[in-house]
Amino acid sequence: MPDSLVTLAGVGKLYEPSVRVLSDIDWSVAPGERCVVLGSSGSGKSTLLSILGLLLRPSQGEVQVEGENAWMWPEKKRAAWRTAKLGYVWQDAGLLPELTVLENVNLPLHIRGIPKKKWNGQNLLERVGLGRRSHAHPSELSGGEAQRAAIARALAGSPSLVIADEPTGNLQQRQAEDICRLLLELQEELKFGLVVATHNEALIKYLQADPYWIIDGSLSSNPPEEAT
Ligand SMILES: Nc1ncnc2c1ncn2[C@@H]1O[C@H](COP(=O)(O)OP(=O)(O)O)[C@@H](O)[C@H]1O
Ligand SMILES: [Mg+2]
């Protein structure tokens, strides 16, 4: 087993024309590790998670996967890595409205050409408490249910890294806590690396994850000092 799923070495991000969001970040996510990235809105959480998931190219530094600089790979190889290793959950569940919940969850497997008899969408829906909603359409689900379905979809390919960017951002606190508990349970059971971004520090205790704060573009394992 590699000792890191993804390593960031001296990573910085500057958006055009010259908005600096991240600078000189050294960070590594290990297999089976649980992390939470905290920071106010606009601090760079989504940018950091997109870089970690090989979705966004950093302006400086390296993103290392399997000991190699993944941005030296051809795009095809990065895409193959994302398909095989990565599950992503967004703030907006992003389910396709014309498909049933089950079809949404199985879609990543379909795209990968996995034979139908190995599609585990129904099991995953049962696991997230939606076993009886599999034939519903996304518009019939509550916000919390849609997020459960999105989590099931992210897990469909047995990813080794799951990135959840404000997965509870559209939910009430109580539902948000339930989603965090679910992510924690699934992570303990399936042992994927989990990185969750949130601006809601009250959720740390439900995720029981190692916290990191983005402060002025740097990543720190210490909380920001209270402004006096
Ligand atoms: N594609 C982009 N082009 C220019 N600026 C961007 C782009 N994406 C994000 N930003 C800016 O970068 C900063 C960090 O954004 P983001 O990573 O989305 O923060 P967070 O997820 O913490 O709210 C914000 O100021 C945002 O406006
Ligand atoms: Mg964001």
Side-chain angles (χ1 to χ4, degrees):
M1 186 129 45
D3 52 5
S4 138
L5 294 170
V6 181
T7 297
L8 306 185
V11 158
K13 183 67 189 178
L14 198 72
Y15 285 114
E16 297 297 327
S18 64
V19 185
R20 173 158 294 284
V21 179
L22 301 175
S23 22
D24 209 18
I25 292 186
D26 294 316
W27 194 36
S28 178
V29 178
E33 188 176 2
R34 251 186 346 259
C35 316
V36 57
V37 175
L38 299 150
S40 53
S41 174
S43 59
K45 300 181 297 297
S46 296
T47 301
L48 179 67
L49 267 50
S50 306
I51 290 174
L52 201 64
L54 304 189
L55 295 162
L56 181 70
R57 183 177 192 143
S59 318
Q60 289 98 29
E62 285 193 6
V63 183
Q64 294 159 355
V65 175
E66 291 149 21
E68 294 175 1
N69 178 353
W71 284 97
M72 298 296 280
W73 292 352
E75 172 54 27
K76 219 172 146 180
K77 187 167 175 187
R78 277 190 299 278
W81 178 85
R82 289 192 297 261
T83 308
K85 307 284 186 186
L86 181 67
Y88 223 96
V89 182
W90 282 273
Q91 175 167 348
D92 164 11
L95 303 170
L96 297 177
E98 63 275 21
L99 301 183
T100 65
V101 172
L102 179 60
E103 287 165 348
N104 266 283
V105 173
N106 279 330
L107 189 62
L109 304 170
H110 183 60
I111 290 171
R112 256 187 248 181
I114 291 171
K116 221 170 183 169
K117 62 175 190 297
K118 293 195 176 164
W119 294 1
N120 59 348
Q122 184 63 34
N123 290 343
L124 286 164
L125 283 170
E126 273 155 28
R127 184 61 193 82
V128 302
L130 286 179
R132 295 163 71 169
R133 305 308 308 279
S134 51
H135 298 293
H137 279 82
S139 61
E140 300 168 79
L141 301 183
S142 71
E145 286 174 335
Q147 247 355 5
R148 286 169 184 272
I151 291 168
R153 181 184 53 188
L155 297 180
S158 307
S160 48
L161 176 63
V162 174
I163 295 179
D165 189 358
E166 305 252 13
T168 65
N170 293 342
L171 305 179
Q172 307 283 336
Q173 181 67 18
R174 184 62 205 287
Q175 287 176 312
E177 292 167 12
D178 287 345
I179 290 290
C180 290
R181 282 197 200 94
L182 175 66
L183 281 169
L184 168 61
E185 272 174 33
L186 290 166
Q187 194 279 339
E188 288 192 320
E189 187 179 315
L190 301 169
K191 313 277 187 230
F192 45 81
L194 175 64
V195 179
V196 180
T198 180
H199 63 270
N200 183 351
E201 298 207 9
L203 296 175
I204 303 179
K205 68 172 185 237
Y206 299 98
L207 287 164
Q208 295 177 28
D210 302 329
Y212 293 88
W213 282 264
I214 300 182
I215 305 165
D216 297 333
S218 298
L219 196 66
S220 167
S221 51
N222 298 313
E225 287 175 27
E226 291 289 327
T228 45

